[in-house]
Amino acid sequence: KAGAALDVTAAQAKARAFREAAVSFHAAAARTHSDDAEALNRAAMAVEGNWILPGGLPGRPWSRHMLHGTRATFAPVLLPGVTEAVERGDGQLARDQLARLAAALDRNTALLLAATR
């Protein structure tokens, strides 16, 4: 039910932009000398940190990664906040989780682009 009303178009565009920035970042890392690698390492660590939800996932504050997680059965789940909200039929929560993901994609795209300039 919630998935039918969930518009993921903007998030998909942000994911494509992030992928393009990641490709550029990877190319920059491949041609960077070890003396210059520290800035790229800091950017990569900051990107990983931006996938962490400070308050955790809804109903599971101990599970904090917005890209991957595990279910109560320990089965893996991708985009757990969005996925679980859609599965519960909670459209508003799904939109909120998608907005958080989109914001993280924007932050991480900017980080990667800044690191390769």
Side-chain angles (χ1 to χ4, degrees):
K1 294 184 279 188
L6 189 62
D7 182 3
V8 298
T9 307
Q12 287 174 325
K14 292 172 187 296
R16 283 190 295 276
F18 175 73
R19 184 184 186 287
E20 291 171 13
V23 168
S24 296
F25 182 85
H26 180 71
R31 65 178 180 268
T32 298
H33 299 288
S34 61
D35 295 343
D36 301 323
E38 187 175 332
L40 293 176
N41 286 336
R42 279 194 309 272
M45 290 188 321
V47 165
E48 181 59 28
N50 278 331
W51 301 128
I52 304 301
L53 295 165
L57 295 170
R60 292 191 296 142
W62 60 87
S63 187
R64 298 176 35 199
H65 208 284
M66 68 174 68
L67 296 183
H68 58 80
T70 58
R71 297 180 184 274
T73 62
F74 296 103
V77 60
L78 296 177
L79 306 177
V82 177
T83 299
E84 292 171 357
V86 169
E87 290 172 349
R88 283 193 296 257
D90 189 336
Q92 185 57 53
L93 182 59
R95 286 187 293 279
D96 292 347
Q97 291 296 303
L98 188 60
R100 293 179 87 177
L101 175 62
L105 284 163
D106 281 342
R107 285 191 307 273
N108 286 337
T109 299
L111 275 169
L112 294 180
L113 292 175
T116 58
R117 290 187 182 124

